Amino acid sequence: MQLTGAQALIKSLEQQGVEVVFGLPGGAILPVYDPLIDSSIRHILVRHEQGAGHMAEGYALATGRPGVAMVTSGPGATNIVTPIANAHMDSTPLVVITGQVASGSIGTDAFQECDITGITMGITKHNFLVKSAQEIPRAVAAAFHLATTGRPGPVLIDVPKDVTQSMMDWWYPSTIEEYDLPGYRPDVPLDEDAIARAVALIDAAERPVLYVGGGTLKSRASAELLAFAERTKMPVVTTLMARGAFPDSHEQHLGMPGMHGMYTAVTAIQRSDLLISLGARFDDRVTGKIPAFAAGAKVIHVDIDKAEFNKVRHADVAVQSNVAAALLAFDAASATPRNLDAWWRQIRDWQERYPLVYEEPSIDGLLRPQHVIQAIAAKAEPGTIIASGVGQHQMWASQFWKFEEPGTWINSGGAGTMGFGVPSAIGAKVGRPERTVWCIDGDGCFQMTAQELVTARAEGIPIKVAILNNAYLGMVRQWQEMFYEERYSEVYLSADLPDYVKWAEAMGCVGLRATNLKEMHDVIEEANKINDVPVVIDFRTDSSEKVFPMVAAGASNDDIMVHPLQRGASK
Amino acid sequence: MSATPEPFLGVIDHTPVRHHILSVLVENKAGVLARIAGLFARRGFNIYSLAVAPAESGARFSRVTIVVDAESAPLEQIVGQLDKLVNVVAISDISPKDALERELLLATIKTDVDNRTSLLDIIANAGAAIVDVDAKSVTVMLAGTPGGCDELERALESFAEVELHRTGRVALPRLGKTASA
Ligand SMILES: Cc1ncc(C[n+]2csc(CCOP(=O)(O)OP(=O)(O)O)c2C)c(N)n1
Ligand SMILES: [Mg+2]
């Protein structure tokens, strides 16, 4: 069968089981948009290519399947660089297709030419510049294989216009050998010796902590984690990237560690004698000052990526494996720590003394952002998916929402990309249309990518957006208040400019506002009734509210600052 | 010039110990070198020297010999990150004490009647060969250890006009030694 390169590209995506592509056309990718009309693949036309990338990420995080985005050359391609970098930091499987100028024009500074494979070399797992139409099926198959196996990540395919316009004999690789990836071997056999040494460390542990990272979600190891944790009775912490990997309602769950982690999660790690890292990477937002991090603990480091071992923290035992297989191996060897009663008594004491707290909201005063999140949660259906931007609201969402299952927390961790919330929520809703999707957003973040609500309205994707409008780039304001003597520099945004209700309405969404407690409950109820169009709520919150607990950047986790309400109480 | 450096098959190794030799088999595809260079740059790993040529199996693979500064980052990190490049097929790490290293040096030296004799002495001492000559200059070649090339380079510093190029080294494990993968 003779096909054009463009037809082969679409057919290859169909072969991969792609159900949706997020994108926006332009000159260099034009040939590919023609056969798309006749394809079963749904295309979602975004308003900015950054939106396409984050939607693909939200889709991937919510479904566990790779997200696909397609854009044109030059500025179309550079507009999607931020999501690619974001997906790279968070190991999110993406396949991004970019149009390129015709092969003969490459290197001539042709109209809308840009070296996107060069630009994204350091922020993709791999990228391809396809040289001939005949190679398209191989490139697509290899891209999906790379994006989804081993440590997942974004893969970019750059396709020159003449390649999509020329003819090829249709074929599709049927074996991995045909992908022609001689240097890629994602499956490593379990190192039995490492497992034995890990089991010995577990057997000797008196104060162990299971330090659960995003890799646990990526390897779909939640069931194995639950079984292992319950059998061994070990306390569990889930990082910002792993929220949902272990139920928040579980009594062994101490919550999130790190800069804005729960006091008990942070302190239990600090006092532990064994840290079992499961797909986590000792990020500086978790470790604080590295030499002071869990200084008395031995470390078992389980990761599929061997370059993570000893990168930040010395691993006493390194187990190169996906998390699920390693946990099964620990279970098979009946790894069991010592009696943990004393450890749990200590942990319960910390929990009792330092729970998450915030000041009571007053009847007519400004809303407390934490309270707004809890009020939304109280009325949300089980299984609701939460997306967020980056800033204070993100930390509060992670702290105060109770995550019970994988794929319910859509968030930008490693890159901390403002504007991630709205488009990623849209992508999540596309992937899991039966679920309610709330985006807990900041006023600053909302303004970066809000235009995608036009996409959401046009495509019938009814997400709900709660703007925690504190009139500030709040997280930066918090640092300036605490570490720059309240010298506020370029962080004020205004609560009224823009008018978020009118803006929402202009984008075809329902716009609501709440300035006090009564209105807060009313608008949440109203929003929950709307299921056909997107809803945006402008919650007016107290600007002076800060995120606690907090470990200052570069400080030791031992110097964690608890909420002012808890200060004075002895640690 | 101090002691006579051993020519060609000499074993004097002037490589500081912190240098490690990575022999990297890569797919011979466009941009592979950029991927390696980019990785080293963004991770802050230092490259001391780099030599690239098609590998034995024809056009499909190339061999890149990288001398890395293992003080800029732990070797384990460098190898681990390098191994993640999809186009990198195999990495062997040859520790300096187990390595047979050779490098090629070419130099053109302007001479006059006054210093021609001393130049010929240097060339003979170094075990270098004269590959081109005219009334005013001599081009010499040395295929030797990196240390031998260093010594020749130093010896030639006394000449006013020298154009000198080195290839960077290639290496194999000594007989009876193996590289670690
Ligand atoms: C694209 C981008 N630019 C800048 C920053 C730095 N930054 C981190 S949080 C933040 C403030 C976010 O403001 P807002 O969305 O209102 O959230 P808030 O902290 O007020 O809840 C800024 C500017 C960032 N993370 N991302
Ligand atoms: Mg704000």
Side-chain angles (χ1 to χ4, degrees):
Chain A
M1 179 174 41
Q2 284 266 309
L3 296 180
T4 65
Q7 289 168 328
L9 181 53
I10 295 298
K11 201 171 163 65
S12 299
L13 294 177
E14 289 168 352
Q15 291 279 331
Q16 289 295 328
V18 173
E19 55 168 17
V20 58
V21 171
F22 305 92
L24 193 149
I29 197 73
L30 252 174
V32 186
Y33 270 81
D34 186 73
L36 187 61
I37 298 176
D38 308 315
S39 170
S40 60
I41 295 173
R42 178 181 183 191
H43 181 270
I44 290 179
L45 175 62
V46 298
R47 267 50 179 179
H48 185 294
E49 290 89 348
Q50 183 186 359
H54 291 323
M55 284 178 205
E57 291 183 89
Y59 176 91
L61 291 170
T63 64
R65 297 195 294 273
V68 183
M70 184 159 76
V71 298
T72 194
S73 66
T78 55
N79 272 350
I80 205 165
V81 166
T82 297
I84 292 172
N86 191 81
H88 189 59
M89 289 296 266
D90 287 349
S91 305
T92 305
L94 283 196
V95 173
V96 176
I97 297 157
T98 49
Q100 182 55 276
V101 300
S103 311
S105 304
I106 291 179
T108 68
D109 304 316
F111 178 64
Q112 293 190 331
E113 179 183 356
C114 126
D115 173 18
I116 196 63
T117 48
I119 287 173
T120 58
M121 233 170 228
I123 52 168
T124 49
K125 185 167 170 183
H126 192 55
N127 60 28
F128 299 91
L129 173 61
V130 183
K131 297 277 173 62
S132 77
Q134 203 60 35
E135 282 301 305
I136 285 175
R138 194 196 316 279
V140 172
F144 278 85
H145 180 61
L146 290 167
T148 54
T149 54
R151 180 177 182 167
V155 178
L156 180 138
I157 310 174
D158 199 23
V159 205
K161 192 170 184 176
D162 58 313
V163 170
T164 50
Q165 283 172 325
S166 58
M167 301 305 291
M168 56 90 72
D169 284 317
W170 171 251
W171 71 290
Y172 204 74
S174 50
T175 63
I176 290 179
E177 283 65 48
E178 287 178 89
Y179 298 171
D180 190 26
L181 300 169
Y184 185 67
R185 292 166 303 269
D187 294 323
V188 277
L190 260 187
D191 176 351
E192 293 301 336
D193 176 57
I195 295 289
R197 285 183 293 124
V199 170
L201 284 185
I202 294 172
D203 288 347
E206 294 176 351
R207 298 185 310 281
V209 172
L210 290 169
Y211 161 36
V212 176
T216 301
L217 288 173
K218 297 293 184 316
S219 71
R220 297 183 171 81
S222 291
E224 289 82 355
L225 173 63
L226 186 66
F228 180 70
E230 290 194 332
R231 186 181 62 73
T232 59
K233 299 284 182 296
M234 288 195 258
V236 176
V237 303
T238 51
T239 68
L240 183 68
M241 288 312 300
R243 308 287 291 124
F246 193 77
D248 273 335
S249 59
H250 198 286
E251 57 174 17
Q252 282 169 252
H253 198 171
L254 315 186
M256 177 174 78
M259 180 175 266
H260 291 297
M262 309 279 259
Y263 178 87
T264 304
V266 172
T267 307
I269 290 179
Q270 288 302 87
R271 301 285 161 268
S272 65
D273 66 351
L274 178 65
L275 203 52
I276 304 173
S277 170
L278 302 172
R281 58 180 178 83
F282 297 85
D283 182 87
D284 53 274
R285 287 305 193 252
V286 167
T287 61
K289 187 178 170 188
I290 290 159
F293 177 69
K298 292 232 182 327
V299 170
I300 298 171
H301 195 165
V302 178
D303 208 295
I304 193 72
D305 178 1
K306 72 173 188 291
E308 289 302 335
F309 302 139
N310 305 313
K311 183 183 81 177
V312 173
R313 170 67 184 250
H314 169 72
D316 295 280
V317 178
V319 180
Q320 192 184 2
S321 169
N322 73 60
V323 173
L327 289 175
L328 288 176
F330 296 159
D331 264 332
S334 303
T336 311
R338 302 283 176 86
N339 184 310
L340 301 181
D341 291 350
W343 183 221
W344 274 111
R345 271 196 303 280
Q346 171 68 77
I347 287 169
R348 295 300 179 218
D349 177 57
W350 287 326
Q351 286 181 316
E352 225 160 88
R353 280 195 285 160
Y354 298 107
L356 270 185
V357 290
Y358 56 91
E359 276 177 65
E360 281 296 310
S362 59
I363 298 297
D364 48 3
L366 286 166
L367 299 168
R368 298 266 175 230
Q370 306 92 327
H371 188 229
V372 173
I373 292 167
Q374 288 186 320
I376 293 171
K379 291 283 159 61
E381 291 167 40
T384 293
I385 294 173
I386 296 296
S388 89
V390 167
Q392 292 181 310
H393 62 280
Q394 172 195 28
M395 292 298 112
W396 286 317
S398 178
Q399 290 178 335
F400 286 92
W401 197 271
K402 296 287 163 251
F403 297 97
E404 296 296 322
E405 56 170 313
T408 53
W409 172 232
I410 312 296
N411 143 87
S412 164
T417 305
M418 281 178 70
F420 180 79
V422 166
S424 68
I426 294 170
K429 181 78 181 167
V430 169
R432 315 275 321 253
E434 76 291 356
R435 297 283 179 115
T436 302
V437 178
W438 273 96
C439 170
I440 307 284
D441 216 356
D443 45 334
C445 286
F446 183 81
Q447 292 187 59
M448 287 203 178
T449 49
Q451 81 286 340
E452 296 310 332
L453 284 166
V454 179
T455 306
R457 171 60 208 257
E459 295 277 345
I461 307 163
I463 62 164
K464 304 183 200 305
V465 183
I467 304 172
L468 301 182
N469 179 0
N470 56 6
Y472 276 93
L473 298 169
M475 184 57 93
V476 183
R477 183 191 186 283
Q478 172 166 350
W479 286 50
Q480 291 178 347
E481 179 180 334
M482 295 175 67
F483 310 118
Y484 291 85
E485 294 148 359
E486 298 180 45
R487 284 162 56 84
Y488 298 117
S489 176
E490 303 300 324
V491 286
Y492 178 65
L493 296 175
S494 156
D496 302 303
L497 180 68
D499 182 325
Y500 294 100
V501 172
K502 282 191 189 156
W503 192 4
E505 286 168 354
M507 293 188 287
C509 307
V510 174
L512 303 169
R513 178 170 290 131
T515 57
N516 59 38
L517 280 181
K518 177 169 184 323
E519 287 172 8
M520 177 186 82
H521 290 297
D522 289 349
V523 293
I524 291 172
E525 203 162 303
E526 205 176 331
N528 281 336
K529 284 192 211 129
I530 301 168
N531 288 313
D532 49 350
V533 293
V535 188
V536 177
I537 311 179
D538 172 13
F539 289 101
R540 297 298 174 92
T541 64
D542 189 340
S543 313
S544 65
E545 199 57 52
K546 287 183 287 299
V547 186
F548 288 108
M550 177 170 192
V551 179
S556 159
N557 282 351
D558 290 334
D559 299 325
I560 185 169
M561 289 178 270
V562 294
H563 195 281
L565 291 171
Q566 296 166 322
R567 295 197 193 146
S570 63
K571 276 197 198 171
Chain B
M1 205 161 124
S2 51
T4 313
E6 252 184 274
F8 289 97
L9 298 173
V11 288
I12 296 175
D13 189 352
H14 294 263
T15 314
V17 188
R18 63 202 182 97
H19 283 168
H20 245 261
I21 303 148
L22 297 178
S23 177
V24 185
L25 191 70
V26 301
E27 285 183 84
N28 191 2
K29 287 195 172 154
V32 172
L33 209 52
R35 290 179 199 278
I36 292 174
L39 169 68
F40 273 69
R42 70 178 173 270
R43 297 253 175 210
F45 308 154
N46 290 340
I47 297 181
Y48 179 76
S49 78
L50 184 89
V52 195
E56 52 279 10
S57 35
R60 189 159 176 229
F61 299 109
S62 287
R63 173 146 330 261
V64 183
T65 307
I66 314 174
V67 180
V68 299
D69 174 358
E71 239 161 52
S72 65
L75 193 66
E76 180 192 19
Q77 248 311 284
I78 299 176
V79 172
Q81 297 293 352
L82 204 50
D83 205 24
K84 281 202 280 182
L85 295 180
V86 169
N87 297 134
V88 167
V89 179
I91 305 172
S92 46
D93 150 29
I94 314 173
S95 91
K97 64 178 186 350
D98 296 339
L100 269 180
E101 304 169 72
R102 290 297 178 269
E103 177 169 6
L104 188 76
L105 178 155
L106 277 178
T108 295
I109 305 107
K110 274 245 169 75
T111 60
D112 49 37
V113 277
D114 294 341
N115 59 16
R116 200 160 264 224
T117 325
S118 83
L119 176 63
L120 292 177
D121 279 350
I122 290 170
I123 293 170
N125 273 339
I130 295 173
V131 289
D132 203 3
V133 64
D134 69 10
K136 292 200 190 99
S137 354
V138 178
T139 298
V140 302
M141 175 202 84
L142 175 65
T145 62
C149 291
D150 287 348
E151 300 240 4
L152 176 57
E153 187 171 347
R154 269 196 298 273
L156 293 175
E157 274 168 12
S158 60
F159 292 85
E161 270 186 70
V162 179
E163 187 183 0
L164 183 144
H165 291 186
R166 294 172 64 164
T167 56
R169 70 196 77 175
V170 293
L172 282 176
R174 287 180 188 284
L175 296 178
K177 304 285 182 183
T178 48
S180 49

